[in-house]
Amino acid sequence: MEVSLEEFGTLDFDVKAWLNRQFAAQTNDASAATDDARAQRLVTQLHFLATNAQQNSDRIKARFRHQAAQIGRDIAGLGKAVSATQAQLVGLTQAVDRQAASAPTMAAVVELGTAQRQLARTVEALGLQRSYTDLPQKVDGLVEARDFGRAWALVDGVAGAAGLDADEVHACRERIEAGVVGELGRAVAERDAEVAARMGQLLAAHGQAELVETEFVRVRAQIGVKALEGRYEDIGGLLHAALALITEERTFSEAAEMSDVVQERLVERFADAMQTEIQRHVDRAEIIGAVSVRGVYDALVGFCADAGLDTDESSALSVGAAHVQRVPLALHHLLEPLRECVERLGMSEADRIQNGSLVALRAVEYETGRAEAYVRDAAREMDCVFSDISETLDNLLVVVPAAMARRAAEDVLVAVSEASGVISAGIATLADSAGFDVSDLAAATELDTPIADLRGAAFQPLANEDKLDAVSRSVALALLAEQLENHTATVVANVRHRLADMYSHPQSLIAAALNGQNEVSETMDLETADLDIEVPEISAVAAAQAVVFLLGGAFRVPLERIPASNVWHGAAARSSMGVTVPQFSCAPSEDAVDIGEKMHILLPELEQAVAMHAQCAPDAMPLYTFVLRHMSACDGDEDDSPLLAMLALVLRSVQRAFVRQVCRVEAPLSALGCRQLAADTEYIASVAASFGAMPDPDFAELLTSVLRHDAETSDISESPEHVEMTELQRTLHALLIHSDN
């Protein structure tokens, strides 16, 4: 009898059909009939038992989840049946060994051994199921006992076993995980580094390392934030407490084997809470002005350095070929309350100076005849203004990041323009009291420009009391303008130096945070234009023009009369008999004499103005140096004194104005008019030459023309066609060409 073992494992195995096939295959061999029959009976019984065991196993699986107790009893009964079957198999084996079995009998025995092994595996599986029938209860017990390692080992041991519900195993894992997280939270809250590290390792071993970090940060941040909220009256106390807290937390996190990322996230949470406190101080207007902001900024810089937030090791990233640093989020939290203050700091500081020290400067008033007192008081207030500006810029350029620095500095330097406005206002008052318009100062050296009314003090000799007061006031304003100019130059040079220094160094992480950046590179792009601070326009030029205008003002009256004088078209005198009286020479005209006399007293007047200037401010730049520098003019040789150079400046202006006024005379001149023009020109030239001043080029051209005509050295009845003439030459030619000799 041959038996195929595969038949027992098929789904369509039929017991009866199999038996019929076996009986039909039996031989009539009498010697083997007894053994064959016995074997057949045992095989059939074995099959029945195996089938029964399979059915019982299926029923156990179906009832396992909800009928654990009944399943246990069924398994016990099945175990007894299996034991009995095993006993019979042992007996069968012994019987077979005692007898010489035929070939069919041996095949049946082999088949029986295979069935035995299958039953053994079934028994093993059923034993495993029985061992973990109460898995949830065992897991709960281990979790309550805080024996999380054994609990997880128990679940890991049954994971994937046949017949176990995957959802039940997952639920057990979740209970263990919740218990470990709870124990971790307790250890973190109580600063139990050993337990926290052990729980962390257990969670990490089961793929929950991120959960460890999250729970650690949550617990410690909750405790730290509560300690920082609303307990400190000043920012210094808050930063001190926060630094101590961060130091303690870092020590504990290292002991608990937490990563640097955990420490960074924890500092971010603390910084977020500190931001609220800092913002509260800002909202209470406790941080106002560059000085206050600088104090808070310095405190935060120190805090960030001590906390390791503004170092090269902080969040370094490599982007392409350039080294870039990520700005820690904690810095953004800490500096966010200051960002708005910093952005408008330049304008707010300019407003503060405008309503502070500049008010005192504007309040200084000039009193008639008291230039020294005005200069003293105004200079003192001017010093206060620029001391305020300098201190503001010193604080501002420390706090404001490089990207905002230029604009912020220019906002503050607006105060320089406001200070210059004081000088402008003084010049306007001077013009009003001296009888001229401020717009006339633009042509201070053009003495022929029309003036509506020449009766004011500005057009009188210096002996006039009002004119003396006007010159005194102009000298005082020149001194104040000089002081303003010096202060401005110093401040602007300092700003440019500070900007160059800022751009030549890598940007700090704190500056990047204040500027709203998330990353900062090692180098900064520097454009030359970023250093070109726009220097506020000041009134130094106007002050210098006022001095020159007053010194030359007295010349305007006689110069104004020249075009309308009746001497230019007069005829020769005749006797009572109608005979022409010969006239061999002409004396200077009344207007020329007036101009010459004023030129003679110009030097003493200038010396008097210089003396006033020196008396008000002995250490200041001499008046003539100040005037010449801002009038962009200098006459005479290089060895000439600046005083004579300033004198020459006014004399040249007089000569130039004389020429222009002569050109306004109606052409042509009479013969007598030509001689009179020659006499006046020679007289004015001789007076100017007595001071060593070089003549104005136009005046020299006039002098040459009239002397040539007077000497009759050339025929000027017609213009030489081959000579190209300037407009001045053409005008002079028209004046002289038709005159009768």
Side-chain angles (χ1 to χ4, degrees), residues 194-516:
E194 181 180 354
V195 174
R198 190 167 66 249
M199 295 299 102
Q201 293 169 356
L202 192 58
L203 285 171
H206 290 81
Q208 298 297 332
E210 184 178 352
L211 184 60
V212 176
E213 296 179 353
T214 301
E215 184 66 12
F216 187 94
V217 172
R218 184 190 68 79
V219 175
R220 293 314 310 169
Q222 185 177 12
I223 295 173
V225 168
K226 186 176 181 181
L228 293 175
E229 289 179 346
R231 297 189 177 187
Y232 306 97
E233 292 299 325
D234 58 78
I235 293 179
L238 172 67
L239 297 180
H240 179 76
L243 183 60
L245 179 63
I246 289 175
T247 302
E248 293 176 358
E249 294 301 335
R250 282 181 170 165
T251 302
F252 173 56
S253 64
E254 290 173 358
E257 301 179 3
M258 295 293 111
S259 66
D260 293 340
V261 175
V262 171
Q263 299 179 19
E264 184 176 349
R265 290 173 56 191
L266 196 57
V267 173
E268 288 175 5
R269 296 287 296 275
F270 292 156
D272 191 24
M274 294 167 66
Q275 175 186 351
T276 303
E277 288 298 300
I278 296 173
Q279 187 66 58
R280 184 172 64 87
H281 287 284
V282 173
D283 293 341
R284 287 166 53 187
E286 294 181 5
I287 303 176
I288 54 174
V291 175
S292 299
V293 174
R294 168 73 181 276
V296 175
Y297 175 84
D298 287 343
L300 287 174
V301 168
F303 170 80
C304 293
D306 293 338
L309 298 177
D310 191 25
T311 61
D312 291 339
E313 293 78 18
S314 178
S315 305
L317 302 175
S318 180
V319 180
H323 183 68
V324 175
Q325 289 181 273
R326 177 173 62 85
V327 179
L329 183 60
L331 280 181
H332 285 290
H333 289 324
L334 290 172
L335 298 172
E336 181 62 30
L338 284 183
R339 184 179 301 171
E340 183 179 354
C341 293
V342 169
E343 288 177 351
R344 53 183 172 82
L345 190 57
M347 296 185 64
S348 62
E349 284 299 279
D351 291 340
R352 183 185 61 78
I353 297 172
Q354 169 85 11
N355 299 316
S357 53
L358 274 172
V359 172
L361 177 59
R362 295 190 192 99
V364 179
E365 295 182 356
Y366 178 84
E367 297 181 9
T368 302
R370 298 194 61 188
E372 297 89 344
Y374 174 78
V375 170
R376 182 188 64 245
D377 296 341
R380 181 184 64 249
E381 298 303 333
M382 184 75 75
D383 288 340
C384 292
V385 169
F386 275 89
S387 175
D388 201 356
I389 292 174
S390 297
E391 182 180 3
T392 297
L393 288 172
D394 286 343
N395 292 313
L396 183 141
L397 293 178
V398 169
V399 176
V400 175
M404 305 179 188
R406 177 187 172 187
R407 177 172 56 83
E410 288 180 346
D411 288 340
V412 174
L413 289 177
V414 170
V416 176
S417 298
E418 296 295 334
S420 182
V422 174
I423 299 175
S424 299
I427 293 174
T429 302
L430 167 63
D432 184 64
S433 64
F436 64 92
D437 192 86
V438 174
S439 61
D440 295 332
L441 295 179
T445 57
E446 305 301 324
L447 302 181
D448 59 313
T449 54
I451 301 293
D453 187 357
L454 296 177
R455 293 175 297 177
F459 313 107
Q460 306 302 317
L462 193 57
N464 181 281
E465 184 176 349
D466 292 335
K467 174 64 173 285
L468 184 62
D469 182 68
V471 172
S472 176
R473 186 190 292 261
S474 70
V475 166
L477 292 172
L479 278 168
L480 200 58
E482 178 190 342
Q483 182 185 15
L484 173 65
E485 190 177 39
N486 293 336
H487 279 310
T488 302
T490 301
V491 167
V492 171
N494 180 53
V495 170
R496 285 176 173 158
H497 174 74
R498 295 284 293 276
L499 283 178
D501 187 63
M502 291 173 71
Y503 279 108
S504 63
H505 289 82
Q507 187 180 21
S508 69
L509 294 178
I510 288 180
L514 279 174
N515 202 34

Side-chain angles (χ1 to χ4, degrees), residues 20 42 71 86 106 142 189 218 237 243 320 350 378 389 404 471 481 484 534 581 647:
N20 290 331
L42 289 175
I71 290 174
Q86 288 177 331
M106 292 303 297
L142 291 173
R218 184 190 68 79
L243 183 60
I389 292 174
M404 305 179 188
V471 172
L484 173 65
E534 183 177 349
V581 178
L647 176 65

Side-chain angles (χ1 to χ4, degrees), residues 547-582:
V547 173
V548 174
F549 185 90
L550 290 173
L551 289 173
F555 291 96
R556 292 179 180 271
V557 175
L559 287 170
E560 185 74 14
R561 297 195 297 259
I562 289 175
S565 177
N566 56 12
V567 301
W568 310 121
H569 303 94
R574 292 180 180 274
S575 67
S576 58
M577 301 298 293
V579 178
T580 301
V581 178

